[in-house]
């Protein structure tokens, strides 16, 4: 203020001199007329000088009052505003004087114009008088104040306002109102910090009122619709900033992709780990919610490539918007990277990391192949390097091993304890599987007390009462989501604290009954279960802990010549160790062996050695009821001692069964490591896996230095998405993805740690501080243009995402319809088979009684024929009648293939007797997918009846189409129903009977003329009746000669009606007709039987 007053004084002095010179010049020409006017001008100057003096005195008064108290802060803010208004008026009056002076100096004015000047000067004088009164009021106000805060308070800059401003329309005609850029930026940052849109308006008002009291900061508030629409803008902003980072990266290092399902929609993400311009390893989420057309690996690969192309488009649009808003700032365009830097050739040497499931592996292969092809097309030079690597997440690989070990141990215990399990009531849900036991313990004993029927809080209180100094390892939470190896991680706390858990449970059951507690008392009191816990604890400490550390830190070990492909060395050591354990299971219980599996790596990786030493020997834990650092003990070290050198009887007696579990674990793990269908085998040298140390080159291993050996970035980005969805209610997937991706990439991050008070010193907070989010580090103009671009694309972005979502839903629907059609086709095909089987029941092929079955089974000589006819008779009842009780597998994993005698026993003991208690259906059942429950509660409603009727009509339609298909197959000669209705062996008994009138069909070759001179040969079944036996050689030579009288349609003019025909046993009912083949004529029965 002092400088401004001084400047004003100097300006007025100069003005005074100029005025005097001008008046002298004018007085020479118009002395008489100007005399009075000059006097009035001098009086105005004197008044201005007086105002200056008064203003200086006012500042002195304020400066003298700075030592007073701060009670009237708000009043002095108003005083400041009034003083500023007065100063503004003063400056305006000075400018008027300048204008007046310039006009006087530049023109030879007439007397009329001088009269105008006189009016202006009079007006100025009145205004100065008013301002003098204003200053007098301020002085009076100060006299009544007992204290002031500080002159600096009067100089505080005004805060930005929550308001709109007018901007030109894109058409160039007219303007429209938009929120000031900083308003949108503030809302975007609040959205990123997970502030619900409905709370933002209230938060804006609260901040304005509390931080800027008495100031008119908010003129109006954004609507809820505008706030929600900014979430779509955030989706574009975070993807554009990701493209910015990707293009500016020094090099691309590793890609990560994963798939999940949210809101019943399959989502894919894609992240890139890059080396930044300052040589730091940074992971960027490019897109958190990629929606592929149908979820197949092919479409997923295409969708990720499209997401990369979108990065180019976003950068290009950003540049266009910036140039449009700041046409005179070419320097801003230079700060936005060239979209051409999103180049597929930068994938050379990049590794694509994915999960180990089949779809993920297929995606990885297809995506890498697509990238290689694109690189080869773009780089046409010979021998161009198109190396793009694939990698598997070693966390997922490890989880697969231990899931199978857990399952195998569970099966072993169930088989070993099946007698006891058969007696225990099923409603207690006693289980032998480790993962299920951990879930039960989590519900009952976890201190979080999340399960309503558990007793975690009571158990914690019980421990404080009776075991206050006991070290404790927390129960692992496995109820809300489970990693397969978490069961093994949770085994150690359970093994260590089992005595207290059992004692507490027993005490609780003495006063009340609880199913969960009854179950756990039975389970945790089992020696076999404790043995499982002990072995699982060893597996966790010796295998999971070091491999988990390696998988999580591989990208930090490039200076140790360790990379993703180096993980094969660890797996080779693991394979070698468990080969020895399979031969000698006692090695699993030997600490010096099992805890040093990865010791050969310590020289190369001292960080691994240091971590394992810390975890096993130095890591401390709390005691019961205390969180003081002074009370902490070496909890894990104590637990390890009890695992390998048990002092408790309940642990020592587990050793024999531990050896059984150790052998099974070794066998299962080796199968998992060597199985060519699993991804792990590619890293194992003993099976020459293509990524193993025995196969890869040094160059390939070096290429993976500095790369991750896990897919944690993809998992972590989905965790942010899940968090937003859980907090956001019915927030859209696109909006949730926008917030989740912005949070993962820390686009809006501010270093608040250095401002937070607490235990940690601000010095430590500064040392650990992360850089500001990219949104806050780019120039303000680029932020503004980025937000403007994102807002302009809002409708397009929403439409595109919704279109992808609808396309995916349509794909789901099409897939469902296709499955429905396939089921109908399968049902029609199965119905054709069922129709044949249903007809067979009414033919000699079916053994209706046990006696007939034994007789016919005895006639069959080969195992093949016996199996064929026994299976056929079982299927007549199972498929032809729909009697599910008759089902019997043809083979079993634990048994192998069932023999004919075993199946025949099932036929005579179970299948044939069912006809005495069940009614043979008139129609073959239609094999449509049935409803899970056909129950009804009271009377069925009209809607339910209508649905049931439609289902019955569909069955009728399937049966009709199946019948038409069967007739078509019969007419075309593809199938022959009469063939399936024949006896199991040749019917010689009936042929030898007198007057048997055995209807017979014999296959003959006929010459067929097509009417155009072309003659072809065709086999036809000719029908007749056996009238008499000519010769019987059935016992010795397996044939008989009979006299046959042929039906009229097969007798021509020159043919004899009755002939002698030799019927051989081997020619009876062949599967493929030939000249001389014969069978019983059952065509009338086949065609006449109702279907």
């Amino acid at each position: 203020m002092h400088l401004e007053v001084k400047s004003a004084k100097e300006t007025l002095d100069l003005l005074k001199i100029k005025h005097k010179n001008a008046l002298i010049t004018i007085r020479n020409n118009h002395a008489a007329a100007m005399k009075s006017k000059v006097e009035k001008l001098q009086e105005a100057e004197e008044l201005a000088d007086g105002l200056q003096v008064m203003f200086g005195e006012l500042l002195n008064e304020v400066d003298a009052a700075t030592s007073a108290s701060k009670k009237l802060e708000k009043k002095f803010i108003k005083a400041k505003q009034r003083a500023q208004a007065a100063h503004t008026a003063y400056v305006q009056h000075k400018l008027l004087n300048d204008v007046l002076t310039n006009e006087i100096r530049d023109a030879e004015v007439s007397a009329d114009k001088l009269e105008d000047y006189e009016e202006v000067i009079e007006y100025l004088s009145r205004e100065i008088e008013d301002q003098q009164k204003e200053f007098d009021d301020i002085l009076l106000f100060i006299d009544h104040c007992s204290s002031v805060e500080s002159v600096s308070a009067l100089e505080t800059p005004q805060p930005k306002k929550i308001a709109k401003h007018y901007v030109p329309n894109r058409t160039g005609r007219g303007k429209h109102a938009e929120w000031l850029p900083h308003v949108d930026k503030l809302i975007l940052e609040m959205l990123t910090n997970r502030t619900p849109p409905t709370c933002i308006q209230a938060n804006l008002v609260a901040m304005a009122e509390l931080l800027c009291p008495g100031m008119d900061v908010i003129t109006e508030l954004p609507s809820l619709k505008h706030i929600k629409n900014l979430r779509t803008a955030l989706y574009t902003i975070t993807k554009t900033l990701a493209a910015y980072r990707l293009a500016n990266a020094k090099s691309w290092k590793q890609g990560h992709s994963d798939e999940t399902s949210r809101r019943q929609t399959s989502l894919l993400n894609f992240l890139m780990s890059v080396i930044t311009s300052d040589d730091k390893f940074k992971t960027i989420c490019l897109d958190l919610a990629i929606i592929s057309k149908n979820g197949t690996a092919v479409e997923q690969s295409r969708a990720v490539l499209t997401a990369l192309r979108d990065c180019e488009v976003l950068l290009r649009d950003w540049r266009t918007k910036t140039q449009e808003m700041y046409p005179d700032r070419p320097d801003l365009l230079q700060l936005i990277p060239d979209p051409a830097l999103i180049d597929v050739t930068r994938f050379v040497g990049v590794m694509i990391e994915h999960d180990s499931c089949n779809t993920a592996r297929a995606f990885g292969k297809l995506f890498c192949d697509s990238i290689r092809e694109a690189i080869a097309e773009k780089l046409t030079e010979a021998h161009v390097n198109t190396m793009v690597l694939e990698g598997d997440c070693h966390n997922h690989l490890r989880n697969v091993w231990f899931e199978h070990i857990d399952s195998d141990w569970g099966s072993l215990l169930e088989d070993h304890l099946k007698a006891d399990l058969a007696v225990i009531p099923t409603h207690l849900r006693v289980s032998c599987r480790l993962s299920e036991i951990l879930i039960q313990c989590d519900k009952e004993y976890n201190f979080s007390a999340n399960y309503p029927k558990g007793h975690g809080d009571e158990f914690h209180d019980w421990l404080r009462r009776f075991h206050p100094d006991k070290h404790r390892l927390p129960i692992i939470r496995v109820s809300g989501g489970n990693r397969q190896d978490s069961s093994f991680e949770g085994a150690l706390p359970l093994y260590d604290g089992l005595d207290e858990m059992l004692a507490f449970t027993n005490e609780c059951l003495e006063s009340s009954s609880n199913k969960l507690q009854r179950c756990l008392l039975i389970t945790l009191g089992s020696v076999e279960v404790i043995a499982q816990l002990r072995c699982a604890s060893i597996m966790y400490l010796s295998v999971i802990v070091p491999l988990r550390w390696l998988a999580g830190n591989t990208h930090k070990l490039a200076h140790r010549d360790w990379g993703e492909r180096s993980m094969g060395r660890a797996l080779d050591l693991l394979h070698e160790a468990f080969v020895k354990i399979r031969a000698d299971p006692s090695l699993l219980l030997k600490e010096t062996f099992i805890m040093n599996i990865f010791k050969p790596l310590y020289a190369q990786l001292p960080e691994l050695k240091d971590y394992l030493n810390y975890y096993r020997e130095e890591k401390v834990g709390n005691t019961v009821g205390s969180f003081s650092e002074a009370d902490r003990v070496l909890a894990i070290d104590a637990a390890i001692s009890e695992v390998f050198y048990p002092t408790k009887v309940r642990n020592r007696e587990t050793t024999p069964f531990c050896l059984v579990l150790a052998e099974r674990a070794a066998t299962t793990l080796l199968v998992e490591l060597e199985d060519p269908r699993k991804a792990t085998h590619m890293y194992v040298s003993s099976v020459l896996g293509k990524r193993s140390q025995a196969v890869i080159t040094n160059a390939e291993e070096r290429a993976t230095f500095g790369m991750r050996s896990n897919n944690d970035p993809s998992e972590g980005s989905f965790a942010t998405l899940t968090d937003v969805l859980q907090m956001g209610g019915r927030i859209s997937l696109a909006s949730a993805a926008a917030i989740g991706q912005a949070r993962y990439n820390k686009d809006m991050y501010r270093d608040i740690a250095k401002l937070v008070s607490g235990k940690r010193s601000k010095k430590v907070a500064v040392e650990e501080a992360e850089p500001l989010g990219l949104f806050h580090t780019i120039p303000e103009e680029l932020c503004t243009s980025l937000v403007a671009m994102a807002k302009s694309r809002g409708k397009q972005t929403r439409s595109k995402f919704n279109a992808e979502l609808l396309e995916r839903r349509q794909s789901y629907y099409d897939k469902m319809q296709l499955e429905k059609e396939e089921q109908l086709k399968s049902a029609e095909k199965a119905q054709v088979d069922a129709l044949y089987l249903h007809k067979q029941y009414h033919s000699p092929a079916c053994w209706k009684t046990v006696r007939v079955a034994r007789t016919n089974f005895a006639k069959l000589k080969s195992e093949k024929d016996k199996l064929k006819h026994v299976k056929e008779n079982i299927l007549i009842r199972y498929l032809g009648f729909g009697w599910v009780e008759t089902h019997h597998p043809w083979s079993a994993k634990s048994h192998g293939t069932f023999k004919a005698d075993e199946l025949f026993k099932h036929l005579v003991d179970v299948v044939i007797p069912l006809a005495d208690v069940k009614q043979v259906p008139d129609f073959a059942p239609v094999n449509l997918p049935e409803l899970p429950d056909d129950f009804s509660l009271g009377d069925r409603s009209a809607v339910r009846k209508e649905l049931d009727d439609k289902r019955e009509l569909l069955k009728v339609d399937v049966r009709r189409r199946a019948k038409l298909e069967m007739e078509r197959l019969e007419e075309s000669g593809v199938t022959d129903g009469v063939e399936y209705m024949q006896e199991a062996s040749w019917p010689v008994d009936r042929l030898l009977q007198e007057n048997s009138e055995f209807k017979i069909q014999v296959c003959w070759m006929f010459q067929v003329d097509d009417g155009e001179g072309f003659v072809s040969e065709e086999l036809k079944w000719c029908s007749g009746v056996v009238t008499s036996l000519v010769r019987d050689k059935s016992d010795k030579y397996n044939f008989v000669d009979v006299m046959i009288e042929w039906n009229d349609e097969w007798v021509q003019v020159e043919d004899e009606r009755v002939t002698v025909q030799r019927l051989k046993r081997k020619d009876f009912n062949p599967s493929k007709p030939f000249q001389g083949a014969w069978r019983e004529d059952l065509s009338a029965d086949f065609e006449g039987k109702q279907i």
Side-chain angles (χ1 to χ4, degrees):
M1 285 296 182
H2 288 293
L3 293 176
E4 290 179 3
V5 172
K6 183 178 180 181
S7 176
K9 180 179 179 181
E10 293 174 356
T11 302
L12 289 176
D13 290 339
L14 181 63
L15 178 61
K16 180 178 178 181
I17 295 172
K18 291 180 179 180
H19 282 176
K20 287 181 180 180
N21 292 335
L23 290 174
I24 291 173
T25 303
I26 295 172
R27 188 168 52 247
N28 292 335
N29 299 322
H30 307 282
M34 289 294 299
K35 183 176 181 179
S36 61
K37 308 297 186 295
V38 171
E39 291 176 352
K40 291 182 179 180
L41 181 61
Q42 289 175 343
E43 291 175 358
E45 292 174 348
E46 291 173 358
L47 289 172
D49 291 336
L51 178 63
Q52 173 191 350
V53 173
M54 291 175 62
F55 191 74
E57 291 175 352
L58 171 64
L59 293 180
N60 291 333
E61 291 281 347
V62 174
D63 187 66
T66 56
S67 60
S69 65
K70 302 179 180 179
K71 293 183 180 179
L72 300 175
E73 177 184 356
K74 292 185 178 180
K75 294 183 179 181
F76 272 95
I77 290 175
K78 293 181 180 179
K80 171 216 167 185
Q81 292 174 344
R82 294 169 66 184
Q84 286 179 338
H87 179 65
T88 302
Y90 168 78
V91 173
Q92 291 176 349
H93 301 330
K94 180 181 75 63
L95 293 175
L96 286 173
N97 279 325
D98 290 341
V99 173
L100 177 61
T101 303
N102 290 334
E103 290 181 355
I104 293 174
R105 184 182 58 206
D106 295 338
E108 293 182 357
V109 294
S110 61
D112 294 336
K113 195 161 187 178
L114 288 175
E115 291 177 1
D116 294 336
Y117 291 156
E118 181 180 359
E119 293 177 359
V120 172
I121 292 173
E122 290 175 353
Y123 169 77
L124 179 62
S125 299
R126 288 193 300 271
E127 288 297 315
I128 291 176
E129 290 175 359
D130 292 338
Q131 294 302 320
Q132 182 176 354
K133 293 179 181 179
E134 182 75 10
F135 274 106
D136 291 338
D137 293 338
I138 294 174
L139 291 175
L140 291 174
F141 172 74
I142 293 176
D143 291 336
H144 287 85
C145 294
S146 60
S147 62
V148 294
E149 178 184 1
S150 173
V151 136
S152 62
L154 299 176
E155 299 176 353
T156 303
Q158 291 292 319
K160 294 182 178 180
K161 293 184 177 294
I162 306 296
K164 289 183 177 180
H165 68 148
Y166 285 92
V167 295
N169 293 328
R170 298 184 66 180
T171 59
R173 300 177 59 183
K175 296 182 179 181
H176 66 279
E178 284 188 359
W179 289 101
L180 290 167
H182 62 266
V183 178
D184 287 335
K185 294 173 186 176
L186 176 59
I187 295 173
L188 287 168
E189 189 164 353
M190 294 176 75
L191 289 171
T192 303
N193 292 331
R194 297 180 299 179
T195 305
T198 53
C199 299
I200 287 180
Q201 296 165 333
N203 287 352
L204 290 175
V205 173
M207 287 190 295
E209 293 295 331
L210 293 174
L211 299 180
C212 304
M215 296 186 182
D216 191 16
V217 175
I218 299 179
T219 59
E220 56 181 321
L221 287 171
S223 66
L224 182 60
K225 180 179 179 181
H226 177 76
I227 294 172
K228 289 185 176 181
N229 286 341
L230 282 179
R231 295 190 300 195
T232 305
L234 180 61
Y235 188 56
T236 302
I237 290 170
T238 185
K239 291 172 68 174
T240 306
L241 293 177
Y244 177 96
R245 286 187 173 103
L246 188 64
N248 273 340
K250 181 183 290 187
S251 63
W252 297 358
K253 197 71 174 175
Q254 193 170 14
H256 299 270
S257 181
D258 193 15
E259 182 184 14
T260 190
S261 179
R262 295 292 183 272
R263 297 275 177 79
Q264 301 171 2
T265 301
S266 177
L267 300 176
L268 187 74
N269 64 12
F270 191 74
L271 300 90
M272 283 292 296
S273 294
V274 301
I275 303 299
T276 61
S277 56
D278 54 355
D279 293 323
K280 292 183 179 179
F281 188 80
K282 175 75 174 176
T283 301
I284 311 160
C285 180
L286 298 185
D287 200 333
L288 186 53
I290 302 173
I291 300 178
S292 60
K293 183 176 180 180
N294 55 21
T296 61
V298 174
E299 291 298 332
Q300 288 180 353
S301 177
R302 291 174 181 169
V304 171
L305 291 172
T306 302
L308 288 169
R309 287 191 289 269
D310 287 345
C311 291
E312 300 180 54
V313 175
L314 291 172
L315 288 177
R316 193 176 298 113
D317 288 353
W318 189 10
R319 292 173 65 90
T320 302
K321 177 59 72 171
T322 303
Q323 189 172 17
E324 177 186 317
M325 295 178 65
Y326 306 101
D328 299 329
R329 294 289 305 277
D331 57 306
L332 294 177
L333 288 181
Q334 295 176 359
L335 297 177
I336 302 176
D338 187 351
L341 291 173
I342 309 292
D343 189 0
V344 70
T345 59
R346 300 185 72 180
F347 272 102
V348 173
V350 170
M351 172 179 285
I352 305 301
E353 194 83 6
H354 49 72
D355 294 349
S356 57
C357 67
N358 292 334
T359 302
R361 292 171 66 185
F363 159 79
K365 183 179 184 305
L366 289 169
F367 183 74
C368 289
D369 290 343
S370 300
I371 292 296
R372 293 185 191 105
E373 292 174 5
I375 294 173
E377 290 177 4
K378 205 160 187 178
L379 303 178
T380 56
E381 310 89 66
H383 309 296
V384 65
N385 179 16
T386 61
M387 183 180 70
V388 180
L389 302 172
E390 281 187 72
D392 289 282
C393 175
H394 283 261
N395 283 332
H396 282 83
L397 297 181
R398 185 185 66 253
N399 285 335
V400 172
W401 314 336
F402 284 95
E403 181 183 22
H404 284 84
I405 294 174
D406 181 17
S407 177
D408 186 65
W409 277 355
S411 299
L412 173 63
L413 263 69
E414 287 173 0
D415 184 63
H416 181 71
L417 305 172
K418 59 184 177 182
D420 294 330
L421 290 171
V423 178
I424 298 173
T426 57
H427 71 273
L428 293 180
R429 299 180 182 178
V430 173
S431 174
C432 296
R433 185 159 180 171
L434 188 62
S435 55
E436 296 178 7
I437 296 173
L438 262 293
I439 291 174
Q440 293 169 346
C441 291
D442 180 18
K443 291 178 178 180
E444 175 65 15
Y445 303 115
N446 203 317
F447 296 160
S448 62
N450 288 328
Y451 185 62
K453 298 180 181 179
H455 300 84
D457 187 63
E458 295 177 26
F459 177 57
H460 195 198
D461 180 68
W462 185 88
L463 287 176
R464 283 197 299 266
R465 290 174 183 273
F466 301 103
H467 302 278
D469 298 326
K470 171 78 167 61
H471 72 266
R472 64 176 178 87
L473 298 175
I475 301 296
I476 301 299
R477 185 188 66 86
V478 293
S479 296
N482 186 23
R483 302 182 316 274
Q484 288 88 338
D485 64 0
S486 64
S487 299
F488 291 77
E489 182 179 0
L492 183 61
L494 193 55
Y495 177 84
D496 184 61
L498 189 138
D499 289 350
E500 290 75 24
M501 294 176 187
L502 275 177
F504 168 75
T505 302
N506 182 72
E507 187 173 324
C508 290
L509 289 174
E510 289 176 351
S511 59
S512 63
S513 178
N514 179 285
K515 289 182 182 179
L516 179 57
Q517 290 179 334
R518 291 171 63 190
C519 169
L520 288 172
L521 187 68
I522 297 171
T523 304
L524 300 183
S526 167
V527 172
E528 288 78 5
V529 170
I530 299 173
Q532 187 177 202
L533 294 174
R534 183 181 176 188
C535 289
S537 301
I538 294 173
M539 295 287 282
Y540 169 71
L541 293 166
S542 62
V543 178
I544 294 176
V545 171
L547 286 181
R548 188 182 286 180
W549 186 90
L550 284 172
N553 292 275
T554 296
H555 61 292
K556 303 175 184 177
L557 300 173
H559 63 291
R560 301 294 184 188
D561 292 340
W562 184 274
E564 193 273 345
R565 291 294 190 261
S566 306
M567 289 295 292
R569 302 183 193 176
L571 297 191
D572 287 343
L573 293 173
L574 181 68
H575 183 274
E576 179 183 348
F578 276 83
V579 168
K580 296 178 181 178
I581 293 174
R582 182 171 59 181
D584 182 7
S586 64
L587 292 175
L588 186 73
L589 304 180
K590 189 175 181 181
E591 182 183 17
T592 54
F593 173 81
I594 195 66
M595 299 293 274
N596 291 297
I597 292 177
F598 303 103
K599 187 176 180 179
L601 300 177
Y602 292 171
Q604 182 181 0
L605 302 175
E607 295 89 345
L608 173 62
K609 179 182 179 181
D610 293 342
Y611 173 76
L612 294 179
N613 287 338
Y614 158 75
Y615 187 86
R616 296 168 179 172
E617 300 176 9
E618 301 174 11
K619 189 174 182 180
V620 295
N622 294 321
T623 56
V624 174
S626 174
F627 295 95
S628 172
E629 293 186 6
D631 295 335
R632 292 182 177 178
V633 296
L634 300 174
I636 292 182
D637 184 56
I640 291 176
S641 297
E642 186 62 29
V643 167
F644 289 105
Y645 311 104
T647 59
K648 299 176 181 179
V649 176
R650 56 99 165 169
N651 294 332
R652 290 200 301 268
E653 61 188 6
T654 64
T655 300
F657 198 72
C658 283
L659 300 179
V660 178
L661 293 172
E663 191 274 332
R664 291 291 289 265
T667 302
T668 303
L669 181 58
L670 291 174
V671 168
E672 289 297 315
L673 294 177
E674 299 172 358
D675 190 343
R677 299 170 299 175
K678 306 290 182 67
T680 304
H681 88 281
M682 292 188 290
Y683 295 86
V684 180
S685 297
S686 63
V687 294
L688 298 179
K690 65 179 182 180
R691 300 175 192 168
S692 68
Q693 294 293 303
V695 174
I696 63 172
T697 63
N698 290 334
E700 181 177 348
E701 184 173 6
R702 285 195 302 271
T704 66
F705 289 173
M707 294 183 180
R708 285 186 172 91
S709 60
N710 61 49
N711 207 27
D712 287 358
S714 287
E715 302 286 350
S717 63
F718 275 144
T720 63
L721 174 64
T722 302
D723 182 55
V724 176
L725 287 172
Q726 289 175 345
M727 295 187 62
R730 285 302 301 170
I731 185 174
S732 69
L733 285 173
S735 298
I739 298 172
Q741 183 170 331
R743 288 183 62 78
Y744 182 86
N745 289 338
K746 298 187 176 181
D747 293 327
M748 308 279 182
Y749 177 79
R750 294 186 186 273
D751 184 18
I752 61 175
K754 62 184 179 183
L755 303 175
V756 178
S757 61
K759 285 187 176 182
R760 295 194 311 167
S761 65
K762 290 189 177 181
K763 180 181 179 181
V764 175
V766 171
E767 291 175 353
E768 298 178 358
E770 294 190 28
L772 277 174
L774 180 59
F775 189 77
H776 302 308
T777 57
I778 59 178
E780 186 72 19
E781 296 85 354
L782 287 185
C783 282
T784 302
S785 65
L786 176 58
V787 173
M789 182 272 289
K791 290 170 64 177
S792 67
R793 288 173 54 98
K795 186 175 181 180
Q796 174 188 350
T797 301
R798 283 191 296 271
S799 299
K800 181 176 180 293
F801 190 88
N802 290 336
E804 292 174 350
L805 199 57
L806 288 175
E807 186 178 30
R808 185 61 196 272
R809 289 169 180 167
Q810 183 64 41
S811 174
Y812 281 146
Y813 179 78
D814 294 341
K815 182 180 179 181
M816 184 177 67
Q817 292 300 113
L818 181 62
E819 290 176 351
K820 185 177 178 180
E821 292 176 5
E822 291 296 326
Q823 287 178 349
L824 287 176
K825 290 180 181 179
S826 177
E828 290 177 19
K829 183 178 179 181
Q831 182 65 15
V832 172
D833 296 336
L835 290 176
Y836 278 116
L837 290 168
H838 190 274
K839 279 180 171 292
Q840 281 182 272
Y841 182 76
H842 304 282
S843 73
C846 181
W847 303 339
K848 295 185 177 64
T849 66
V850 174
R851 184 181 61 81
V852 173
R854 295 188 186 280
T855 301
N856 281 277
F857 187 75
K859 291 180 180 180
L860 300 173
K861 304 300 182 184
S862 67
E863 178 72 10
K864 178 181 177 182
D865 288 340
K866 290 179 179 180
L867 277 173
K868 174 188 173 183
H869 291 285
V870 171
K871 288 180 179 181
E872 195 171 73
N873 271 273
I874 294 175
L875 292 175
I876 287 173
R877 280 78 169 185
Y878 179 58
L879 298 179
F881 296 168
W883 292 353
V884 294
E885 301 91 339
T886 63
H887 176 262
H888 193 288
W890 304 149
S891 64
K893 185 177 181 180
S894 59
H895 181 277
T897 302
F898 287 95
K899 296 182 179 180
D901 291 336
E902 295 171 315
L903 294 176
F904 181 73
K905 185 177 186 304
H906 175 70
L907 175 66
V908 297
D909 291 347
V910 177
V911 178
I912 294 177
L914 273 178
D916 298 331
V917 296
K918 298 179 73 74
Q919 184 176 359
V920 176
D922 296 330
F923 304 101
V926 177
N927 187 26
L928 282 176
E930 296 292 337
L931 296 176
D933 294 309
D934 196 29
F935 305 119
S936 60
L937 183 63
D939 296 333
R940 298 197 178 194
S941 66
V943 177
R944 177 65 188 275
K945 289 178 181 178
E946 183 179 354
L947 294 174
D948 293 343
D949 291 342
K950 286 182 179 180
R951 192 171 187 80
E952 291 303 318
L953 289 174
L954 183 61
K955 290 182 178 180
V956 172
D957 187 58
V958 170
R959 189 179 291 112
R960 178 187 60 81
R961 284 184 289 179
K963 182 179 179 181
L964 293 175
E965 176 66 12
M966 187 173 68
E967 292 174 353
R968 186 190 68 80
L969 294 174
E970 290 286 333
E971 292 175 0
S972 62
V974 176
T975 60
D976 186 355
V978 177
E979 174 191 340
Y980 304 133
M981 302 178 72
Q982 303 296 316
E983 288 188 36
S985 61
W986 69 319
V988 65
D989 295 338
R990 288 192 286 154
L991 289 172
L992 296 179
Q993 294 177 2
E994 293 186 10
N995 302 321
S996 63
E997 295 187 356
F998 183 87
K999 295 180 180 180
I1000 193 171
Q1001 286 184 335
V1002 180
C1003 192
W1004 294 104
M1005 184 70 71
F1006 284 82
Q1007 301 289 330
V1008 180
D1009 189 347
D1010 63 356
E1012 297 181 359
F1014 182 78
V1015 179
S1016 62
E1017 292 184 339
E1018 182 179 343
L1019 287 170
K1020 293 185 178 182
W1021 288 100
C1022 301
S1023 301
V1025 177
V1026 176
T1027 58
S1028 62
L1029 179 64
V1030 177
R1031 183 183 305 167
D1032 177 17
K1033 295 293 184 180
S1034 58
D1035 292 335
K1036 187 174 182 180
Y1037 298 106
N1038 290 321
F1039 74 85
V1040 293
D1041 292 334
V1042 296
M1043 190 73 70
I1044 299 177
E1045 182 179 349
W1046 302 102
N1047 294 346
D1048 292 341
E1049 65 268 24
W1050 303 109
V1051 179
Q1052 298 181 3
V1053 177
E1054 66 277 9
D1055 292 339
E1056 296 182 4
R1057 176 175 294 276
V1058 179
T1059 62
V1060 175
Q1061 180 70 32
R1062 175 162 293 182
L1063 305 178
K1064 299 179 182 179
R1065 178 172 182 168
K1066 67 181 182 65
D1067 296 340
F1068 175 71
N1069 194 34
S1071 58
K1072 185 176 182 180
F1074 54 84
Q1075 175 85 8
W1078 64 280
R1079 65 188 182 185
E1080 185 177 2
D1081 184 6
L1082 299 172
S1083 55
D1085 293 336
F1086 178 77
E1087 296 171 0
K1089 180 63 183 173
Q1090 184 182 14
I1091 299 176

